[in-house]
Amino acid sequence: MNKNNSEILSAVQKFGTPSYIYDGEKLVQNYKNLVNALPECVDVFYALKVNPNVSLVKLLRSNGACTEVCSITEMEIALKAGSTPEDIVYLGPCKKDYELKKAIELNIFAIVIESEIELKRVSAFAKEMDVIANVAIRINPDFSAEGSPWKMGGRPTHFGIEEQHAIENFQVYLDTPNINVRGIHVYNGTNILEAKSVYENTKYILELYETIVRKYNCKFTMVDVGGGMGVPYFQNQEELDTQEFRNLMVPLFTNFNKKYPETRIIMESGRFIIGTSGCMAVQVNNMKTNHGKIFAVTDGGTNCHSAAAGSGRVVKRNFPMENISALPTAQEHKYQVSGPLCSPDDIIGRNIQLKEINVLDILLVKLSGAYGPTSSPGLFHSHGYPAEILLYQGESYLIRSKDSTDDIINKQIMVDFKKNELILN
């Protein structure tokens, strides 16, 4: 994130905390850096799962990004942000009937099929609607991505069809009524920081594509190689070397494109595009010393930030953090930075060195653009979801309001038990 502290403080004073703040220029820059590290034959699909805010999706779309969605709501967000059905792929291990029917009706580029049962359902719906549904078969590969802390292939998962089973049965998929199999989709791992690992993963997928094409003498119009490029959240991690990435990926994709010029090459990216363009701002509400440690208690903790690394668990390592209210000459001290929850795990900074903290100071948790508000338990203790703010071209925009008490309570339904008792009597 490249915005200066005064811009951030001004936005925080205007819209409040806890809040997620995004640097629009950095977001666009990250997207363009990825596009420029790939040949023109590759289309980059932004993965809404990492951050589906419609304004951020719109900004990326206006700069050429396609969209990968994992729910009907994400699909509607993508469409509202300007995506066309031709530039949408729809993933997810649990797609309900109405969601599949909507995707078929819209004629999106591909519904990614996670199982043979799902393929049969899509076939039946397409037959009812008297159309041909475009799909891609998701394969769970035998190959496991190196360098990924959260592997999604090469082991038992609820994603895709096992590689050998898919290869042996692919003719069945090709012969399924009212189905156009555009190609295959493989997503093998996430938060990969080594260019060679992304390259090896992609090479394996392209070879798998060729294996199926040769075995069944079929023509595909799509291969989705996933992505998984990551962000260095913690100490001793280094960012992805985009020059090495380019040196490896350009010839790989270019050679593939020469052999299969009619095949659309899709590379997904979410965390790499948006992770470094966002931060979480929290305000210090209380200071205390307990058992020899200094605690700075803030209004936003793991209820806002627990899954910012996309791990689905409380993160035990410190994200980069800064006290942006501190004077330049302030001394550093070691702090425990906690949130508002009655939970011993509600710590977002452990033994972290920060410039002297006082009540009402604003702390920034950096590298938090991906998997922040949407992957965190925002309703824990009924605090609700934080605000989201976009800083772009010298302006600050509120792009999501912080949940109010009424927002939370009005979704609940209070039963009139006395009325029920009268009926029973």
Side-chain angles (χ1 to χ4, degrees), residues 289-305:
T289 300
N290 198 310
H291 286 267
K293 292 184 181 289
I294 307 173
F295 284 80
V297 183
T298 74
D299 59 1
T302 54
N303 58 311
C304 301
H305 198 267

Side-chain angles (χ1 to χ4, degrees), residues 10-11 68 80 84 96 107 126 163 177 230 274 334 359 368 374:
S10 176
E68 177 249 288
K80 186 175 182 179
T84 60
K96 295 188 176 181
N107 193 30
E163 179 179 325
I274 202 168
K334 188 176 288 186
V359 172
S368 298
T374 54

Side-chain angles (χ1 to χ4, degrees), residues 151-210:
K151 293 176 172 57
M152 301 175 73
R155 62 185 183 87
T157 72
H158 52 297
F159 302 114
I161 302 168
E162 285 183 71
E163 179 179 325
Q164 290 308 310
H165 182 83
I167 292 173
E168 292 168 6
N169 292 275
F170 218 92
Q171 190 63 52
V172 176
Y173 312 152
L174 294 169
D175 293 340
T176 303
N178 295 84
I179 291 293
N180 172 35
V181 179
R182 284 196 182 274
I184 63 171
H185 170 283
V186 182
Y187 196 96
N188 218 350
T190 186
N191 206 38
I192 303 170
L193 298 175
E194 299 168 7
K196 188 67 181 294
S197 177
V198 180
Y199 166 81
E200 293 290 350
N201 186 45
T202 305
K203 182 171 176 287
Y204 186 93
I205 297 166
L206 297 180
E207 289 172 351
L208 177 58
Y209 170 104
E210 292 195 90

Side-chain angles (χ1 to χ4, degrees), residues 150 191 231-238 309 315-320 367:
W150 302 294
N191 206 38
V231 170
Y233 292 109
F234 309 118
Q235 287 185 350
N236 302 320
Q237 289 184 328
E238 294 184 5
V315 178
K316 297 294 186 181
R317 301 167 71 183
N318 293 328
F319 276 55
L367 305 181

Side-chain angles (χ1 to χ4, degrees), residues 263-382:
T263 297
R264 186 180 194 180
I265 305 171
I266 293 173
M267 177 163 259
E268 302 167 15
S269 181
R271 191 196 307 270
F272 181 83
I273 291 174
I274 202 168
T276 60
S277 67
C279 61
M280 183 178 77
V282 295
Q283 186 173 55
V284 179
N285 173 267
N286 195 7
M287 298 292 301
K288 61 188 295 185
T289 300
N290 198 310
H291 286 267
K293 292 184 181 289
I294 307 173
F295 284 80
V297 183
T298 74
D299 59 1
T302 54
N303 58 311
C304 301
H305 198 267
S306 73
S311 61
R313 55 185 167 78
V314 176
V315 178
K316 297 294 186 181
R317 301 167 71 183
N318 293 328
F319 276 55
M321 194 179 298
E322 181 183 357
N323 179 4
I324 62 171
S325 299
L327 296 173
T329 56
Q331 297 295 308
E332 286 194 350
H333 302 281
K334 188 176 288 186
Y335 294 97
Q336 316 300 309
V337 181
S338 65
L341 306 179
C342 295
S343 166
D345 282 330
D346 191 24
I347 305 291
I348 55 174
R350 292 173 170 80
N351 299 314
I352 188 168
Q353 290 286 137
L354 294 169
K355 288 187 176 181
E356 183 178 351
I357 299 175
N358 295 289
V359 172
L360 301 183
D361 279 355
I362 301 297
L363 309 184
L364 282 191
V365 186
K366 301 180 179 180
L367 305 181
S368 298
Y371 296 105
T374 54
S375 289
S376 299
L379 292 178
F380 195 25
H381 289 13
S382 299

Side-chain angles (χ1 to χ4, degrees), residues 56 62 79 87 93 98 105 113 142-143 147 161-162 177 203 209 221 243 286 292 333 349 361 370 386 392 396:
L56 303 179
S62 68
L79 292 168
D87 289 330
Y98 74 92
E105 178 187 324
I113 298 297
D142 295 336
F143 176 81
I161 302 168
E162 285 183 71
K203 182 171 176 287
Y209 170 104
T221 56
Q243 186 57 54
N286 195 7
H333 302 281
D361 279 355
Y392 186 59
S396 62

